[in-house]
Amino acid sequence: MLPRKGITLLYGNKGPGSLIGAAVRESASTGLGVCFADIKVDIGEWDSNKHKLSTFKSCRFLNLPLRANREVLDDVNQRWNQWLDREGAPREDFPRKPSNRMDLLDRLVEQEPYRELNAIAYDAVTRFGIAKFVTVFNLEAILADQVTVIPPQTNLRFRLPDHA
């Protein structure tokens, strides 16, 4: 399950090839069309160090697990497993390993200091293998004037899944 309080996009170059191929095949079979977009998000000040809980006010982007320090990884894991425990679901090693419950990011971004973040990137298991995704929780952080789309005449609008 994906988060519903943000828009989720492919991120970077980890595993997107087979997902893009699947989208093109789906497009061909449904006639809905497919669009590729390069979307830039305001993340504040980039910090080349691994992110700490104290840096979220200045750098509003968290790339899990690679760009987070142990404090962040442990904090996310503790919260994650508390929520899973309450539901009677099996514990997970997220964010160090992909989760089947990415919808829990909706809860995470309601908590301090995570509510400061505009976007969170993470690994997720798809039927095509592991791929990197990003969920943008603050749609106002999308730099709309810098969005590039293919085909160029495509009109792109961003809406939260709950409002689609």
Side-chain angles (χ1 to χ4, degrees):
M1 290 192 277
L2 292 174
R4 301 207 41 90
K5 293 188 176 191
I7 59 167
T8 299
L9 311 159
L10 277 173
Y11 177 76
N13 57 12
K14 185 175 186 178
S18 49
L19 290 171
I20 292 169
V24 170
R25 286 189 299 281
E26 177 73 12
S27 169
S29 69
T30 63
L32 291 176
V34 67
C35 161
F36 298 95
D38 179 35
I39 298 168
K40 294 181 177 27
V41 176
D42 178 7
I43 62 164
E45 294 179 37
W46 174 248
D47 184 347
S48 60
N49 298 311
K50 289 193 173 191
H51 297 289
K52 299 180 243 175
L53 295 171
S54 62
T55 62
F56 292 173
K57 285 185 190 269
S58 59
C59 182
R60 294 188 164 88
F61 172 67
L62 179 59
N63 186 349
L64 295 171
L66 298 176
R67 303 289 310 143
N69 75 0
R70 176 182 223 134
E71 171 194 35
V72 173
L73 297 174
D74 290 346
D75 187 65
V76 170
N77 181 259
Q78 179 183 16
R79 293 170 192 253
W80 208 262
N81 282 311
Q82 284 176 352
W83 296 323
L84 291 172
D85 288 346
R86 286 185 202 140
E87 295 177 10
R91 295 176 74 84
E92 297 182 339
D93 196 19
F94 183 79
R96 289 173 177 90
K97 292 184 180 174
S99 171
N100 293 322
R101 292 292 311 278
M102 295 315 302
D103 59 302
L104 293 177
L105 283 179
D106 290 334
R107 291 187 196 174
L108 187 68
V109 296
E110 292 175 348
Q111 310 289 313
E112 288 294 341
Y114 301 93
R115 70 179 58 212
E116 301 289 336
L117 298 172
N118 288 338
I120 301 175
Y122 49 89
D123 294 334
V125 177
T126 73
R127 63 182 174 156
F128 304 103
I130 294 177
K132 191 79 165 186
F133 291 89
V134 62
T135 299
V136 180
F137 292 97
N138 178 2
L139 298 188
E140 293 177 13
I142 294 173
L143 303 174
D145 59 334
Q146 295 182 37
V147 172
T148 306
V149 295
I150 299 172
Q153 67 273 18
T154 304
N155 181 14
L156 194 59
R157 292 176 295 170
F158 301 103
R159 292 188 303 206
L160 296 176
D162 289 331
H163 299 99

